[in-house]
Amino acid sequence: MFNSGSSGSLQYCDISNASTGIRINGTAAPTVRYCNLSNISTTGIYLDCANVQLKIDNNAISSNSCGVYSYYSNSTLEQNTIFGAWEGVWSYGSYDRMSNNSITTWEYGVFSDYYSQTSLLGRLEGYAGYNRILYAGSVALLANFGSEIRAGQYSWNPGLNSFYDGGIDPKAVAGDNSSIIAQYNWWDSDQSSYGNVDNSNPLDYDPNAGMRAGGNPVANSLSSQLVPGDSAKSPTLLDAELLAAHLAMDQGKYNQAITEFFDKYKKENNLQRKKYALARLADCYGLANRTDFIDFLNGQIRPSLIKSDELFVESLELEGNSLIRGGQYDKAVSLEERIKSGYSDKPENYKHALFNLANLYSGHLGEFGKAAENVGLLKSQYPNDILTRRAQSTASAVIAPSKANLILEVSKKEAPKDYALQENYPNPFNPSTVIPFSIPIGGHVTLVIYNSLGQRVASLVDAEVEVGYHEVKFDASRLASGVYFYRLQAGNFVQTKKLLLLR
């Protein structure tokens, strides 16, 4: 695990029989290359780092659940092989780019969820994606909840991805105000789709035939090689004005695209197109690294709306996304709690608020009790939902608080007269250490670990504790080397000490 603020390099590593293979959190920016992750029970590579750009390349991932899970991240995935997973790549609130990957999946090849922008194209304009996706069970491309998948658009930026086999479901599905633009790709024998999908101009040849993803030498001069077959269904959501604004966004002309999407938003009467335009406005602000998006919402969008409007709820969700991407987790939690309490009558919005709260409380604020509360609500109200499954596996991947962390036997010595937090031993340590403390009055005790940036990385005790001398073992095997702090609070007593992890 790479926690916020850490860096380094993870190359040529073998990781097997783990719940999560590699987890990258916060502002961590490691290099992950040429690793072999096998028999991973939940997530091969878990990305939760909105403030940095990551490149993950040339890894082999075998997972029983999800190959790569990207939560509010900005990543480039190149030349990775993912096999045996239910979801190949799942992007949630993320900006991810994929090229030259090979994915074999049982359920979803690429799942773009909750206002994500997922691109199956090369990093440079005009470069194709050359991804190969074999979907044995269900859907190759799935865009949901205001998200978009770009897997080839217009003749200047074709996809040249290959989609093989499949089950009985449509092979590209865009629902709930989402879209998929997937021109100039190879679809094997089945090109069925549902929703706002543009998979027109399918190729009549496989650009990746006989090659592992990453092996195709073709670069930029593609137009002469494109031999489209029969046209397929184009999306009804994207009219000429939205497509023009979209083209400006694709070319990196974000300020121009903001103007065009906003003009469309103001004059459009169709609710779905207005929601689409607002979601893409948010993308342009994010991709341009502009910090005035929330001011834009407050000044230009919300004054004309009432709180029950779908567009008003969407504006809150997009504001939450902006806060999370900016690392303002406390403010994001307050906003998600607002959505949770104010829109419980809107199941989809409520469900995503629960999911975000479970992730934020466990992954960034260290408030595991509140995380468990929101996971519990997901389990009780949406027992079979994919978000519930993901929230449960996410929560299990973080160090959670438990009274079981305490050494159960209370010391037989005379009861202590004062509260005290002793030095941990050994110190420096690798990878575990013991933290002693004593309390003269029984009551609720918390013992929390912070990194040098003041962010919680573990909660060791959050429970009622008896009078006496106690010791807690802290296992830091998931953390990077460095200085950490441990803080004990019992009643009005608070004390903090320093510990050093050396690998």
Side-chain angles (χ1 to χ4, degrees):
M1 178 175 180
F2 290 88
N3 270 315
S4 189
S6 62
S7 60
S9 177
L10 199 61
Q11 301 188 72
Y12 302 101
C13 296
D14 289 324
I15 301 172
S16 61
N17 302 308
S19 173
T20 299
I22 299 170
R23 187 169 192 262
I24 305 173
N25 186 61
T27 58
T31 298
V32 180
R33 309 184 68 195
Y34 301 108
C35 292
N36 181 31
L37 292 81
S38 59
N39 296 316
I40 305 299
S41 61
T42 58
T43 307
I45 299 179
Y46 178 173
L47 308 175
D48 184 357
C49 35
N51 297 315
V52 295
Q53 293 188 2
L54 292 173
K55 183 177 179 183
I56 310 295
D57 67 285
N58 290 282
N59 302 285
I61 304 168
S62 168
S63 170
N64 295 328
S65 179
C66 183
V68 175
Y69 172 52
S70 176
Y71 180 77
Y72 287 99
S73 294
N74 187 345
S75 65
T76 297
L77 307 174
E78 292 184 347
Q79 298 189 12
N80 300 286
T81 299
I82 300 171
F83 52 96
W86 283 99
E87 301 95 31
V89 176
W90 184 1
S91 299
Y92 189 96
S94 294
Y95 301 139
D96 295 319
R97 184 174 291 274
M98 302 170 54
S99 63
N100 295 280
N101 299 284
S102 180
I103 300 172
T104 302
T105 179
W106 292 105
E107 192 167 15
Y108 306 121
V110 174
F111 184 6
S112 187
D113 198 9
Y114 200 72
Y115 305 111
S116 287
Q117 277 276 324
T118 307
S119 176
L120 275 72
L121 298 168
R123 284 180 289 168
L124 301 177
E125 181 180 311
Y127 279 71
Y130 293 119
N131 296 284
R132 301 173 76 244
I133 299 178
L134 190 153
Y135 41 101
S138 187
V139 180
L141 303 176
L142 172 62
N144 186 54
F145 209 95
S147 298
E148 188 164 63
I149 294 176
R150 293 179 289 172
Q153 53 222 0
Y154 325 115
S155 60
W156 59 270
N157 203 2
L160 274 69
N161 301 288
S162 300
F163 303 103
Y164 302 97
D165 297 327
I168 61 174
D169 297 323
K171 300 307 167 277
V173 175
D176 199 6
N177 194 39
S178 299
S179 67
I180 295 174
I181 302 175
Q183 296 188 22
Y184 297 104
N185 292 291
W186 165 256
W187 293 89
D188 198 5
S189 58
D190 184 2
Q191 200 187 345
S192 57
S193 63
Y194 174 81
N196 295 299
V197 177
D198 181 355
N199 54 357
S200 58
N201 298 313
L203 302 179
D204 62 359
Y205 69 99
D206 181 359
N208 301 293
M211 298 185 183
R212 177 196 177 278
N216 202 314
V218 182
N220 198 22
S221 56
L222 301 172
S223 57
S224 63
Q225 303 177 42
L226 297 177
V227 184
D230 296 333
S231 295
K233 182 177 66 173
S234 297
T236 58
L237 179 69
L238 304 184
D239 59 12
E241 292 167 315
L242 285 175
L243 283 170
H246 199 294
L247 179 60
M249 180 177 71
D250 293 338
Q251 294 175 331
K253 301 174 183 177
Y254 300 124
N255 290 328
Q256 176 185 333
I258 286 171
T259 299
E260 293 181 7
F261 278 125
F262 187 39
D263 287 344
K264 180 65 174 176
Y265 173 89
K266 288 185 291 185
K267 69 180 183 182
E268 180 60 59
N269 293 319
N270 179 279
L271 176 62
Q272 295 306 310
R273 287 196 178 115
K274 287 181 81 74
K275 292 178 72 175
Y276 179 88
L278 185 56
R280 300 292 78 78
L281 269 166
D283 290 335
C284 290
Y285 272 90
L287 292 167
N289 295 315
R290 288 181 55 170
T291 59
D292 55 336
F293 177 64
I294 296 175
D295 293 335
F296 166 77
L297 290 175
N298 290 328
Q300 301 294 331
I301 301 298
R302 289 179 183 145
S304 62
L305 303 174
I306 60 175
K307 292 185 178 179
S308 59
D309 287 346
E310 287 188 36
L311 283 165
F312 190 92
V313 186
E314 180 180 24
S315 78
L316 293 178
E317 292 171 330
L318 294 172
E319 178 180 349
N321 289 1
S322 179
L323 292 170
I324 295 172
R325 291 184 182 123
Q328 301 181 65
Y329 301 119
D330 288 319
K331 290 183 179 180
V333 160
S334 296
L335 193 141
E336 296 293 344
E337 289 284 8
R338 178 181 172 188
I339 298 172
K340 172 184 172 182
S341 61
Y343 297 98
S344 58
D345 59 331
K346 297 182 181 296
E348 288 300 308
N349 307 95
Y350 177 70
K351 177 178 66 176
H352 283 278
L354 294 178
F355 181 75
N356 272 318
L357 286 168
N359 280 275
L360 291 169
Y361 278 129
S362 63
H364 294 283
L365 300 182
E367 298 186 41
F368 300 102
K370 292 182 179 179
E373 173 189 329
N374 286 283
V375 172
L377 289 171
L378 282 169
K379 288 174 63 177
S380 63
Q381 299 183 43
Y382 310 95
N384 300 315
D385 196 272
I386 189 170
L387 289 184
T388 302
R389 185 177 73 196
R390 170 54 47 190
Q392 289 178 274
S393 64
T394 297
S396 68
V398 226
I399 304 173
S402 171
K403 189 173 180 179
N405 284 322
L406 290 171
I407 293 180
L408 296 178
E409 183 179 351
V410 179
S411 172
K412 299 294 193 299
K413 300 177 183 177
E414 180 181 347
K417 297 179 180 179
D418 299 304
Y419 290 99
L421 178 62
Q422 282 84 34
E423 297 290 338
N424 64 295
Y425 64 91
N427 193 27
F429 68 99
N430 178 27
S432 61
T433 187
V434 174
I435 300 173
F437 66 91
S438 56
I439 58 170
I441 301 172
H444 193 83
V445 173
T446 61
L447 180 59
V448 180
I449 308 293
Y450 296 89
N451 63 19
S452 59
L453 298 177
Q455 298 166 317
R456 298 189 194 192
V457 296
S459 181
L460 303 183
V461 180
D462 185 0
E464 298 296 316
V465 179
E466 300 176 27
V467 175
Y469 298 87
H470 303 272
E471 292 184 332
V472 181
K473 183 178 180 181
F474 172 40
D475 183 352
S477 57
R478 302 184 186 187
L479 302 181
S481 297
V483 175
Y484 294 86
F485 299 88
Y486 56 105
R487 179 178 182 269
L488 178 75
Q489 181 168 359
N492 294 324
F493 175 82
V494 179
Q495 190 171 3
T496 302
K497 290 184 179 293
K498 181 169 64 175
L499 44 77
L500 179 61
L501 171 61
L502 291 180
R503 296 196 180 280

